[in-house]
Amino acid sequence: MTRFYNFLRGVMVNGLGRTGVRLCTSVIALYLIFEFTRLTGILVHAGVEMLTFMLLIPLFLLGILLIILGWLRYVKRSDKSSEVLLRGRFGADALKSGLTGSAVSLGFLGVVVIGLLFLGTSTGSMLHFMESPRFCGTACHSTMHPEWAAYQNSPHAHVDCVECHVGEGVGNLVQSKLDGLRQMVALATRSYEKPIPTPIHNLRPARETCEECHWPDKFYATRLKVIPHFGMDEASTPTYNALSIKIGSGLDDEGAIHWHVGEENEVRYASEGNAREKMLWVEWRQPDGSFKRFNRMTPPIGELEHTEIRTMDCVDCHNRATHIYQEPEQVVDRLLASGDLDIELPFIKQHAYGALIDNYKSSEAANVGIERRLLNYYSRNYPTIFTAKQVELDRAVDLLQEAWARNVHLGMEVTWGTYPDFANHHGDGGCFRCHNENFVDDQGETISYQCSLCHDLLTQDSPEPFSFKATPDAEAEGEEVDEVAEG
């Protein structure tokens, strides 16, 4: 340690050398302090980690450079050989070689080892931190906050961002860092788009991401899905749609949902502006290897341009598999179905929905407006219920405020409906982008668009979720038998 200390004193030959040594030692001390607070959980903040890894490492390298430049200047101005200068700075004994080398060489070796250890551990920690979801979501807080909020409440919240956005291999790692530099420039100059445009055209192929866990050749049986809806009446009356969903696999015959992503089927399409929302034409591979194309008739495709011919994969339907944004009515229906919202509150569906869709100018205004709308309505119109169900009302306010904050981000111009989910067919989106009567082939045939292709409707707007399982009573069954007999 003494030799190391003496070596540092020896290279502090001028202002540059002294500044370099002080900078290097300060950086290492700060790094150890920050790492201790991070590992012990005393201070966990993305800003501190960015400071630790993205500022301290360059400062350390700058310190090394200053030490070198200081020594070179010292040599140049003294007009003496390096050996003479070393003897003058460290003494003749320090230059004598022993079994392990001279004191100067050992001091230099110690500096090199400490420097390499610092650079190695800090660089490794930096790369690990930069691949963490917390870095992706919080380092550029205002820009990425909508995606971070949606990610934390998604089915893939425990899957690291880099699993889909970076990929394996040095090439993908380097490309991601280059993209990151471009994004940092856009952030610094505020030249990024609002909201963040989708789809992401350079996202890794689903074959390398989704299919690591969900592969299309795996057979998925038909699944039952019961979708609850609640009315805007006083009782928020529930009705249910029950669907038998034909998931199947990529090896199935045409008619199962996952047929679309089977390698041997290969569905391709082009879309307006490459946005994957309004299709221009769709084609799929025939058994003989040729492609059968369906062109959109209205408006004629010749009027619109495209540059991307895309082969359909998982994300063409599951485009919001992780960064999921809900519609306001969907939010309220799910809260009521789960029991989180008390359905015994009169007109709760109507006023919860109304509180979410009001035109608020800020998140603070939304919090105040949601609370005011619900509490004022019940205190004026149902004072007894307001008093008896204060806990339920407070919980309703909290849940609606949280839902608004997850789905609406005014700073990035994200509001209800900004990012549609194509894994359904609300309006003319989702399945209906291709499955509609406007797509016609050369023989005048259209793409099939019957509902029963992908699911069977077991019940619709039923007052009971499983009414399709009900057994007809004996009387009704007898009447039916009699009618058949008379026929």
Side-chain angles (χ1 to χ4, degrees), residues 17-79:
R18 287 191 292 273
T19 302
V21 169
R22 289 166 182 163
L23 189 58
C24 288
T25 53
S26 299
V27 163
I28 291 176
L30 284 173
Y31 173 76
L32 293 175
I33 292 172
F34 287 150
E35 278 294 275
F36 175 78
T37 59
R38 182 180 68 86
L39 293 174
T40 56
I42 296 174
L43 182 60
V44 180
H45 191 277
V48 174
E49 295 188 65
M50 287 185 67
L51 173 68
T52 303
F53 302 129
M54 304 182 73
L55 182 61
L56 295 187
I57 294 175
L59 286 178
F60 181 82
L61 294 174
L62 176 62
I64 295 294
L65 179 62
L66 290 177
I67 293 172
I68 295 172
L69 291 176
W71 181 261
L72 293 176
R73 174 180 287 187
Y74 178 62
V75 172
K76 184 176 181 180
R77 288 187 175 182
S78 63
D79 198 25

Short mmCIF file of all heavy atoms in Angstrom, two decimals, residues 17-79:
data_model
loop_
_atom_site.label_atom_id
_atom_site.label_comp_id
_atom_site.label_asym_id
_atom_site.label_seq_id
_atom_site.Cartn_x
_atom_site.Cartn_y
_atom_site.Cartn_z
N GLY A 17 -1.18 16.26 -13.55
CA GLY A 17 -1.00 15.01 -12.83
C GLY A 17 -1.80 14.98 -11.54
O GLY A 17 -2.43 13.98 -11.21
N ARG A 18 -1.76 16.11 -10.80
CA ARG A 18 -2.50 16.15 -9.54
C ARG A 18 -4.00 16.05 -9.78
O ARG A 18 -4.71 15.35 -9.06
CB ARG A 18 -2.16 17.44 -8.80
CG ARG A 18 -0.76 17.46 -8.19
CD ARG A 18 -0.58 18.64 -7.26
NE ARG A 18 -0.57 19.91 -8.01
CZ ARG A 18 0.52 20.45 -8.56
NH1 ARG A 18 1.69 19.83 -8.44
NH2 ARG A 18 0.46 21.59 -9.20
N THR A 19 -4.46 16.75 -10.80
CA THR A 19 -5.91 16.68 -11.12
C THR A 19 -6.31 15.27 -11.52
O THR A 19 -7.36 14.75 -11.10
CB THR A 19 -6.25 17.65 -12.26
OG1 THR A 19 -5.88 18.99 -11.86
CG2 THR A 19 -7.73 17.61 -12.58
N GLY A 20 -5.47 14.62 -12.33
CA GLY A 20 -5.78 13.26 -12.77
C GLY A 20 -5.84 12.28 -11.62
O GLY A 20 -6.76 11.44 -11.54
N VAL A 21 -4.87 12.33 -10.69
CA VAL A 21 -4.85 11.42 -9.55
C VAL A 21 -6.06 11.65 -8.66
O VAL A 21 -6.73 10.71 -8.22
CB VAL A 21 -3.55 11.59 -8.75
CG1 VAL A 21 -3.63 10.85 -7.42
CG2 VAL A 21 -2.35 11.08 -9.56
N ARG A 22 -6.36 12.94 -8.38
CA ARG A 22 -7.50 13.24 -7.52
C ARG A 22 -8.81 12.81 -8.17
O ARG A 22 -9.73 12.32 -7.49
CB ARG A 22 -7.52 14.73 -7.21
CG ARG A 22 -6.39 15.16 -6.28
CD ARG A 22 -6.22 16.65 -6.25
NE ARG A 22 -5.10 17.04 -5.39
CZ ARG A 22 -4.51 18.23 -5.42
NH1 ARG A 22 -4.93 19.15 -6.29
NH2 ARG A 22 -3.51 18.50 -4.61
N LEU A 23 -8.89 12.97 -9.48
CA LEU A 23 -10.11 12.58 -10.19
C LEU A 23 -10.30 11.06 -10.13
O LEU A 23 -11.39 10.56 -9.84
CB LEU A 23 -10.03 13.05 -11.64
CG LEU A 23 -11.30 12.93 -12.49
CD1 LEU A 23 -12.45 13.70 -11.85
CD2 LEU A 23 -11.04 13.45 -13.90
N CYS A 24 -9.23 10.30 -10.39
CA CYS A 24 -9.33 8.83 -10.38
C CYS A 24 -9.69 8.31 -8.99
O CYS A 24 -10.56 7.44 -8.85
CB CYS A 24 -8.02 8.21 -10.84
SG CYS A 24 -7.70 8.41 -12.61
N THR A 25 -9.01 8.80 -7.96
CA THR A 25 -9.28 8.32 -6.61
C THR A 25 -10.68 8.72 -6.14
O THR A 25 -11.37 7.94 -5.48
CB THR A 25 -8.23 8.84 -5.63
OG1 THR A 25 -8.14 10.28 -5.74
CG2 THR A 25 -6.86 8.24 -5.93
N SER A 26 -11.13 9.90 -6.52
CA SER A 26 -12.48 10.34 -6.13
C SER A 26 -13.54 9.49 -6.81
O SER A 26 -14.55 9.12 -6.20
CB SER A 26 -12.68 11.82 -6.50
OG SER A 26 -11.77 12.64 -5.82
N VAL A 27 -13.30 9.18 -8.10
CA VAL A 27 -14.26 8.37 -8.84
C VAL A 27 -14.39 6.98 -8.21
O VAL A 27 -15.50 6.47 -8.02
CB VAL A 27 -13.83 8.25 -10.32
CG1 VAL A 27 -14.54 7.09 -10.99
CG2 VAL A 27 -14.11 9.55 -11.05
N ILE A 28 -13.26 6.36 -7.85
CA ILE A 28 -13.32 5.03 -7.25
C ILE A 28 -14.02 5.08 -5.90
O ILE A 28 -14.84 4.20 -5.58
CB ILE A 28 -11.90 4.45 -7.10
CG1 ILE A 28 -11.32 4.15 -8.50
CG2 ILE A 28 -11.91 3.20 -6.25
CD1 ILE A 28 -9.90 3.68 -8.49
N ALA A 29 -13.76 6.11 -5.11
CA ALA A 29 -14.42 6.25 -3.82
C ALA A 29 -15.93 6.42 -3.98
O ALA A 29 -16.72 5.78 -3.28
CB ALA A 29 -13.83 7.44 -3.06
N LEU A 30 -16.34 7.28 -4.94
CA LEU A 30 -17.77 7.48 -5.19
C LEU A 30 -18.43 6.19 -5.69
O LEU A 30 -19.55 5.87 -5.30
CB LEU A 30 -17.97 8.60 -6.20
CG LEU A 30 -17.77 10.03 -5.69
CD1 LEU A 30 -17.83 11.02 -6.85
CD2 LEU A 30 -18.82 10.38 -4.64
N TYR A 31 -17.72 5.47 -6.54
CA TYR A 31 -18.27 4.23 -7.07
C TYR A 31 -18.53 3.23 -5.95
O TYR A 31 -19.58 2.59 -5.90
CB TYR A 31 -17.31 3.63 -8.10
CG TYR A 31 -17.71 2.27 -8.59
CD1 TYR A 31 -18.75 2.11 -9.50
CD2 TYR A 31 -17.06 1.11 -8.12
CE1 TYR A 31 -19.13 0.85 -9.94
CE2 TYR A 31 -17.44 -0.15 -8.57
CZ TYR A 31 -18.47 -0.27 -9.47
OH TYR A 31 -18.85 -1.51 -9.90
N LEU A 32 -17.58 3.10 -5.03
CA LEU A 32 -17.75 2.17 -3.91
C LEU A 32 -18.92 2.58 -3.02
O LEU A 32 -19.70 1.74 -2.56
CB LEU A 32 -16.46 2.10 -3.09
CG LEU A 32 -15.26 1.47 -3.81
CD1 LEU A 32 -14.01 1.58 -2.94
CD2 LEU A 32 -15.54 0.01 -4.17
N ILE A 33 -19.07 3.90 -2.82
CA ILE A 33 -20.18 4.39 -1.99
C ILE A 33 -21.52 4.11 -2.67
O ILE A 33 -22.46 3.60 -2.04
CB ILE A 33 -20.02 5.90 -1.71
CG1 ILE A 33 -18.81 6.14 -0.82
CG2 ILE A 33 -21.28 6.47 -1.07
CD1 ILE A 33 -18.44 7.60 -0.66
N PHE A 34 -21.62 4.44 -3.97
CA PHE A 34 -22.87 4.23 -4.70
C PHE A 34 -23.23 2.75 -4.77
O PHE A 34 -24.40 2.37 -4.65
CB PHE A 34 -22.76 4.82 -6.10
CG PHE A 34 -22.80 6.32 -6.14
CD1 PHE A 34 -22.14 7.03 -7.13
CD2 PHE A 34 -23.49 7.03 -5.18
CE1 PHE A 34 -22.18 8.41 -7.17
CE2 PHE A 34 -23.53 8.42 -5.20
CZ PHE A 34 -22.87 9.10 -6.19
N GLU A 35 -22.22 1.90 -5.01
CA GLU A 35 -22.49 0.46 -5.09
C GLU A 35 -22.96 -0.08 -3.73
O GLU A 35 -23.84 -0.93 -3.66
CB GLU A 35 -21.23 -0.28 -5.54
CG GLU A 35 -21.01 -0.28 -7.03
CD GLU A 35 -22.08 -1.06 -7.77
OE1 GLU A 35 -21.96 -2.29 -7.90
OE2 GLU A 35 -23.07 -0.43 -8.20
N PHE A 36 -22.38 0.43 -2.65
CA PHE A 36 -22.80 -0.01 -1.31
C PHE A 36 -24.26 0.38 -1.07
O PHE A 36 -25.05 -0.44 -0.59
CB PHE A 36 -21.90 0.62 -0.24
CG PHE A 36 -22.35 0.32 1.16
CD1 PHE A 36 -22.09 -0.91 1.73
CD2 PHE A 36 -23.04 1.28 1.90
CE1 PHE A 36 -22.52 -1.20 3.03
CE2 PHE A 36 -23.47 0.99 3.20
CZ PHE A 36 -23.20 -0.24 3.76
N THR A 37 -24.63 1.61 -1.39
CA THR A 37 -26.02 2.04 -1.17
C THR A 37 -26.99 1.29 -2.07
O THR A 37 -28.12 1.01 -1.68
CB THR A 37 -26.15 3.56 -1.42
OG1 THR A 37 -25.75 3.86 -2.77
CG2 THR A 37 -25.29 4.34 -0.46
N ARG A 38 -26.54 0.93 -3.28
CA ARG A 38 -27.42 0.20 -4.20
C ARG A 38 -27.62 -1.24 -3.74
O ARG A 38 -28.74 -1.75 -3.70
CB ARG A 38 -26.84 0.21 -5.61
CG ARG A 38 -27.71 -0.48 -6.65
CD ARG A 38 -27.07 -0.43 -8.02
NE ARG A 38 -25.87 -1.26 -8.10
CZ ARG A 38 -25.89 -2.56 -8.38
NH1 ARG A 38 -27.04 -3.18 -8.61
NH2 ARG A 38 -24.77 -3.25 -8.45
N LEU A 39 -26.52 -1.91 -3.38
CA LEU A 39 -26.61 -3.32 -2.98
C LEU A 39 -27.34 -3.51 -1.66
O LEU A 39 -27.98 -4.53 -1.44
CB LEU A 39 -25.19 -3.91 -2.89
CG LEU A 39 -24.44 -4.02 -4.23
CD1 LEU A 39 -23.01 -4.47 -4.00
CD2 LEU A 39 -25.15 -4.99 -5.17
N THR A 40 -27.22 -2.53 -0.78
CA THR A 40 -27.90 -2.63 0.52
C THR A 40 -29.33 -2.09 0.47
O THR A 40 -30.07 -2.23 1.44
CB THR A 40 -27.12 -1.86 1.60
OG1 THR A 40 -26.95 -0.49 1.19
CG2 THR A 40 -25.75 -2.49 1.82
N GLY A 41 -29.72 -1.48 -0.66
CA GLY A 41 -31.07 -0.96 -0.79
C GLY A 41 -31.29 0.37 -0.12
O GLY A 41 -32.42 0.86 -0.03
N ILE A 42 -30.21 1.01 0.35
CA ILE A 42 -30.35 2.32 1.00
C ILE A 42 -30.82 3.36 0.00
O ILE A 42 -31.68 4.20 0.29
CB ILE A 42 -29.01 2.75 1.63
CG1 ILE A 42 -28.61 1.77 2.75
CG2 ILE A 42 -29.10 4.17 2.17
CD1 ILE A 42 -27.25 2.04 3.33
N LEU A 43 -30.27 3.32 -1.21
CA LEU A 43 -30.64 4.28 -2.24
C LEU A 43 -30.74 3.54 -3.57
O LEU A 43 -29.73 3.12 -4.13
CB LEU A 43 -29.59 5.40 -2.33
CG LEU A 43 -29.86 6.52 -3.34
CD1 LEU A 43 -31.17 7.23 -2.99
CD2 LEU A 43 -28.70 7.53 -3.35
N VAL A 44 -31.97 3.36 -4.04
CA VAL A 44 -32.20 2.68 -5.31
C VAL A 44 -32.94 3.65 -6.22
O VAL A 44 -34.13 3.91 -6.05
CB VAL A 44 -33.04 1.39 -5.12
CG1 VAL A 44 -33.26 0.72 -6.46
CG2 VAL A 44 -32.33 0.45 -4.16
N HIS A 45 -32.22 4.21 -7.16
CA HIS A 45 -32.81 5.19 -8.07
C HIS A 45 -32.06 5.12 -9.40
O HIS A 45 -30.83 5.07 -9.43
CB HIS A 45 -32.71 6.60 -7.48
CG HIS A 45 -33.52 7.61 -8.22
ND1 HIS A 45 -33.05 8.23 -9.36
CD2 HIS A 45 -34.76 8.10 -8.00
CE1 HIS A 45 -33.96 9.07 -9.80
NE2 HIS A 45 -35.02 9.00 -9.00
N ALA A 46 -32.82 5.13 -10.49
CA ALA A 46 -32.19 5.02 -11.81
C ALA A 46 -31.24 6.16 -12.07
O ALA A 46 -30.20 5.99 -12.72
CB ALA A 46 -33.27 4.97 -12.90
N GLY A 47 -31.55 7.37 -11.55
CA GLY A 47 -30.67 8.51 -11.77
C GLY A 47 -29.31 8.31 -11.12
O GLY A 47 -28.27 8.66 -11.70
N VAL A 48 -29.29 7.72 -9.91
CA VAL A 48 -28.03 7.47 -9.24
C VAL A 48 -27.23 6.41 -10.01
O VAL A 48 -26.01 6.53 -10.17
CB VAL A 48 -28.28 6.99 -7.79
CG1 VAL A 48 -26.98 6.58 -7.12
CG2 VAL A 48 -28.96 8.10 -6.99
N GLU A 49 -27.89 5.39 -10.49
CA GLU A 49 -27.20 4.34 -11.24
C GLU A 49 -26.66 4.89 -12.57
O GLU A 49 -25.58 4.50 -13.01
CB GLU A 49 -28.13 3.17 -11.46
CG GLU A 49 -28.50 2.49 -10.15
CD GLU A 49 -29.26 1.20 -10.36
OE1 GLU A 49 -28.69 0.25 -10.92
OE2 GLU A 49 -30.44 1.14 -9.96
N MET A 50 -27.41 5.77 -13.20
CA MET A 50 -26.91 6.39 -14.43
C MET A 50 -25.67 7.22 -14.13
O MET A 50 -24.70 7.22 -14.88
CB MET A 50 -27.99 7.26 -15.06
CG MET A 50 -29.11 6.48 -15.73
SD MET A 50 -30.27 7.55 -16.57
CE MET A 50 -29.24 8.18 -17.90
N LEU A 51 -25.71 7.95 -13.01
CA LEU A 51 -24.55 8.74 -12.61
C LEU A 51 -23.36 7.83 -12.34
O LEU A 51 -22.23 8.11 -12.77
CB LEU A 51 -24.88 9.55 -11.35
CG LEU A 51 -23.72 10.30 -10.70
CD1 LEU A 51 -23.25 11.42 -11.61
CD2 LEU A 51 -24.12 10.86 -9.34
N THR A 52 -23.62 6.72 -11.66
CA THR A 52 -22.54 5.80 -11.31
C THR A 52 -21.87 5.23 -12.54
O THR A 52 -20.64 5.23 -12.65
CB THR A 52 -23.10 4.65 -10.44
OG1 THR A 52 -23.73 5.21 -9.29
CG2 THR A 52 -21.99 3.73 -10.00
N PHE A 53 -22.66 4.73 -13.45
CA PHE A 53 -22.10 3.98 -14.57
C PHE A 53 -21.79 4.83 -15.80
O PHE A 53 -20.81 4.58 -16.50
CB PHE A 53 -23.07 2.85 -14.97
CG PHE A 53 -23.37 1.92 -13.85
CD1 PHE A 53 -24.67 1.60 -13.52
CD2 PHE A 53 -22.35 1.34 -13.11
CE1 PHE A 53 -24.96 0.73 -12.49
CE2 PHE A 53 -22.61 0.47 -12.08
CZ PHE A 53 -23.92 0.16 -11.77
N MET A 54 -22.58 5.85 -16.07
CA MET A 54 -22.43 6.57 -17.31
C MET A 54 -21.63 7.86 -17.17
O MET A 54 -21.28 8.49 -18.17
CB MET A 54 -23.81 6.87 -17.91
CG MET A 54 -24.65 5.62 -18.10
SD MET A 54 -26.26 5.90 -18.84
CE MET A 54 -25.78 6.24 -20.54
N LEU A 55 -21.36 8.27 -15.93
CA LEU A 55 -20.55 9.47 -15.71
C LEU A 55 -19.21 9.14 -15.07
O LEU A 55 -18.17 9.67 -15.48
CB LEU A 55 -21.32 10.45 -14.82
CG LEU A 55 -20.61 11.79 -14.54
CD1 LEU A 55 -20.36 12.54 -15.84
CD2 LEU A 55 -21.45 12.64 -13.59
N LEU A 56 -19.20 8.23 -14.10
CA LEU A 56 -17.96 7.95 -13.38
C LEU A 56 -16.93 7.25 -14.26
O LEU A 56 -15.73 7.52 -14.14
CB LEU A 56 -18.26 7.11 -12.13
CG LEU A 56 -19.10 7.78 -11.04
CD1 LEU A 56 -19.16 6.90 -9.80
CD2 LEU A 56 -18.55 9.16 -10.68
N ILE A 57 -17.37 6.36 -15.12
CA ILE A 57 -16.41 5.66 -15.98
C ILE A 57 -15.69 6.63 -16.91
O ILE A 57 -14.45 6.61 -17.00
CB ILE A 57 -17.11 4.53 -16.78
CG1 ILE A 57 -17.58 3.44 -15.81
CG2 ILE A 57 -16.17 3.94 -17.82
CD1 ILE A 57 -18.38 2.34 -16.49
N PRO A 58 -16.39 7.51 -17.63
CA PRO A 58 -15.67 8.50 -18.45
C PRO A 58 -14.75 9.41 -17.63
O PRO A 58 -13.66 9.78 -18.08
CB PRO A 58 -16.79 9.30 -19.12
CG PRO A 58 -17.95 8.37 -19.14
CD PRO A 58 -17.83 7.58 -17.88
N LEU A 59 -15.20 9.77 -16.41
CA LEU A 59 -14.35 10.62 -15.56
C LEU A 59 -13.08 9.89 -15.14
O LEU A 59 -12.01 10.49 -15.06
CB LEU A 59 -15.14 11.05 -14.33
CG LEU A 59 -16.21 12.12 -14.56
CD1 LEU A 59 -16.94 12.42 -13.26
CD2 LEU A 59 -15.59 13.40 -15.13
N PHE A 60 -13.20 8.59 -14.87
CA PHE A 60 -12.01 7.82 -14.51
C PHE A 60 -11.03 7.77 -15.67
O PHE A 60 -9.82 7.96 -15.50
CB PHE A 60 -12.41 6.40 -14.10
CG PHE A 60 -11.26 5.54 -13.69
CD1 PHE A 60 -10.73 5.62 -12.41
CD2 PHE A 60 -10.68 4.64 -14.59
CE1 PHE A 60 -9.66 4.83 -12.03
CE2 PHE A 60 -9.61 3.85 -14.21
CZ PHE A 60 -9.10 3.94 -12.93
N LEU A 61 -11.54 7.52 -16.87
CA LEU A 61 -10.67 7.48 -18.05
C LEU A 61 -10.05 8.85 -18.30
O LEU A 61 -8.88 8.95 -18.71
CB LEU A 61 -11.48 7.03 -19.26
CG LEU A 61 -11.99 5.59 -19.21
CD1 LEU A 61 -12.90 5.30 -20.39
CD2 LEU A 61 -10.82 4.60 -19.18
N LEU A 62 -10.80 9.90 -18.04
CA LEU A 62 -10.24 11.26 -18.18
C LEU A 62 -9.11 11.48 -17.19
O LEU A 62 -8.08 12.09 -17.52
CB LEU A 62 -11.35 12.29 -17.95
CG LEU A 62 -10.91 13.76 -17.96
CD1 LEU A 62 -10.32 14.14 -19.32
CD2 LEU A 62 -12.09 14.68 -17.61
N GLY A 63 -9.28 10.97 -15.97
CA GLY A 63 -8.22 11.09 -14.97
C GLY A 63 -6.95 10.40 -15.40
O GLY A 63 -5.85 10.94 -15.26
N ILE A 64 -7.07 9.18 -15.95
CA ILE A 64 -5.90 8.46 -16.46
C ILE A 64 -5.21 9.26 -17.56
O ILE A 64 -3.98 9.38 -17.61
CB ILE A 64 -6.32 7.08 -16.99
CG1 ILE A 64 -6.85 6.20 -15.84
CG2 ILE A 64 -5.17 6.39 -17.70
CD1 ILE A 64 -5.82 5.82 -14.82
N LEU A 65 -6.02 9.82 -18.45
CA LEU A 65 -5.46 10.61 -19.55
C LEU A 65 -4.71 11.84 -19.03
O LEU A 65 -3.62 12.18 -19.52
CB LEU A 65 -6.59 11.04 -20.50
CG LEU A 65 -6.19 11.90 -21.69
CD1 LEU A 65 -5.21 11.13 -22.59
CD2 LEU A 65 -7.40 12.36 -22.48
N LEU A 66 -5.25 12.50 -18.02
CA LEU A 66 -4.59 13.67 -17.44
C LEU A 66 -3.26 13.30 -16.80
O LEU A 66 -2.28 14.06 -16.89
CB LEU A 66 -5.51 14.33 -16.41
CG LEU A 66 -6.76 15.04 -16.96
CD1 LEU A 66 -7.62 15.57 -15.83
CD2 LEU A 66 -6.35 16.17 -17.91
N ILE A 67 -3.20 12.14 -16.13
CA ILE A 67 -1.94 11.69 -15.52
C ILE A 67 -0.89 11.48 -16.60
O ILE A 67 0.27 11.92 -16.47
CB ILE A 67 -2.16 10.40 -14.71
CG1 ILE A 67 -3.04 10.69 -13.48
CG2 ILE A 67 -0.84 9.80 -14.28
CD1 ILE A 67 -3.48 9.44 -12.74
N ILE A 68 -1.28 10.84 -17.68
CA ILE A 68 -0.33 10.58 -18.79
C ILE A 68 0.13 11.89 -19.42
O ILE A 68 1.33 12.10 -19.66
CB ILE A 68 -0.98 9.66 -19.83
CG1 ILE A 68 -1.26 8.28 -19.22
CG2 ILE A 68 -0.09 9.52 -21.07
CD1 ILE A 68 -2.08 7.37 -20.12
N LEU A 69 -0.82 12.78 -19.69
CA LEU A 69 -0.47 14.07 -20.29
C LEU A 69 0.40 14.90 -19.36
O LEU A 69 1.34 15.59 -19.79
CB LEU A 69 -1.74 14.86 -20.64
CG LEU A 69 -2.60 14.29 -21.78
CD1 LEU A 69 -3.87 15.10 -21.94
CD2 LEU A 69 -1.79 14.28 -23.08
N GLY A 70 0.12 14.82 -18.06
CA GLY A 70 0.94 15.55 -17.08
C GLY A 70 2.38 15.06 -17.07
O GLY A 70 3.32 15.86 -17.02
N TRP A 71 2.56 13.73 -17.13
CA TRP A 71 3.92 13.18 -17.14
C TRP A 71 4.65 13.56 -18.43
O TRP A 71 5.83 13.93 -18.40
CB TRP A 71 3.88 11.68 -16.97
CG TRP A 71 5.25 11.07 -16.94
CD1 TRP A 71 5.89 10.46 -17.96
CD2 TRP A 71 6.15 11.08 -15.83
NE1 TRP A 71 7.14 10.07 -17.57
CE2 TRP A 71 7.33 10.44 -16.25
CE3 TRP A 71 6.08 11.56 -14.52
CZ2 TRP A 71 8.44 10.27 -15.42
CZ3 TRP A 71 7.17 11.38 -13.68
CH2 TRP A 71 8.34 10.74 -14.14
N LEU A 72 3.96 13.47 -19.58
CA LEU A 72 4.58 13.84 -20.86
C LEU A 72 4.99 15.30 -20.86
O LEU A 72 6.08 15.66 -21.36
CB LEU A 72 3.62 13.54 -22.02
CG LEU A 72 3.30 12.06 -22.28
CD1 LEU A 72 2.27 11.92 -23.38
CD2 LEU A 72 4.59 11.31 -22.64
N ARG A 73 4.16 16.17 -20.33
CA ARG A 73 4.53 17.58 -20.25
C ARG A 73 5.73 17.77 -19.33
O ARG A 73 6.62 18.57 -19.62
CB ARG A 73 3.33 18.39 -19.75
CG ARG A 73 3.68 19.87 -19.51
CD ARG A 73 2.51 20.67 -19.02
NE ARG A 73 1.54 20.89 -20.09
CZ ARG A 73 0.48 21.68 -19.96
NH1 ARG A 73 0.25 22.28 -18.79
NH2 ARG A 73 -0.34 21.86 -20.97
N TYR A 74 5.74 17.03 -18.23
CA TYR A 74 6.85 17.12 -17.28
C TYR A 74 8.17 16.72 -17.94
O TYR A 74 9.20 17.38 -17.78
CB TYR A 74 6.54 16.22 -16.09
CG TYR A 74 7.62 16.16 -15.04
CD1 TYR A 74 8.01 17.29 -14.33
CD2 TYR A 74 8.24 14.93 -14.73
CE1 TYR A 74 9.00 17.22 -13.35
CE2 TYR A 74 9.22 14.85 -13.76
CZ TYR A 74 9.59 16.00 -13.08
OH TYR A 74 10.57 15.93 -12.12
N VAL A 75 8.12 15.62 -18.73
CA VAL A 75 9.32 15.16 -19.43
C VAL A 75 9.77 16.20 -20.45
O VAL A 75 10.96 16.52 -20.57
CB VAL A 75 9.06 13.80 -20.11
CG1 VAL A 75 10.23 13.41 -21.01
CG2 VAL A 75 8.81 12.72 -19.06
N LYS A 76 8.83 16.74 -21.20
CA LYS A 76 9.18 17.68 -22.27
C LYS A 76 9.78 18.96 -21.70
O LYS A 76 10.76 19.50 -22.25
CB LYS A 76 7.91 18.00 -23.07
CG LYS A 76 8.16 18.90 -24.26
CD LYS A 76 6.90 19.09 -25.07
CE LYS A 76 7.17 20.00 -26.28
NZ LYS A 76 5.93 20.20 -27.08
N ARG A 77 9.26 19.46 -20.63
CA ARG A 77 9.74 20.74 -20.07
C ARG A 77 11.07 20.57 -19.32
O ARG A 77 11.84 21.52 -19.22
CB ARG A 77 8.69 21.32 -19.13
CG ARG A 77 7.47 21.85 -19.87
CD ARG A 77 6.53 22.57 -18.93
NE ARG A 77 5.42 23.18 -19.66
CZ ARG A 77 4.47 23.91 -19.09
NH1 ARG A 77 4.48 24.09 -17.77
NH2 ARG A 77 3.52 24.44 -19.82
N SER A 78 11.33 19.40 -18.78
CA SER A 78 12.57 19.22 -17.99
C SER A 78 13.78 18.99 -18.87
O SER A 78 14.92 19.18 -18.44
CB SER A 78 12.40 18.04 -17.04
OG SER A 78 12.22 16.85 -17.79
N ASP A 79 13.56 18.52 -20.11
CA ASP A 79 14.67 18.25 -21.04
C ASP A 79 15.63 17.21 -20.47
O ASP A 79 16.84 17.29 -20.67
CB ASP A 79 15.41 19.54 -21.39
CG ASP A 79 16.24 19.37 -22.66
OD1 ASP A 79 15.88 18.51 -23.47
OD2 ASP A 79 17.24 20.09 -22.81
#
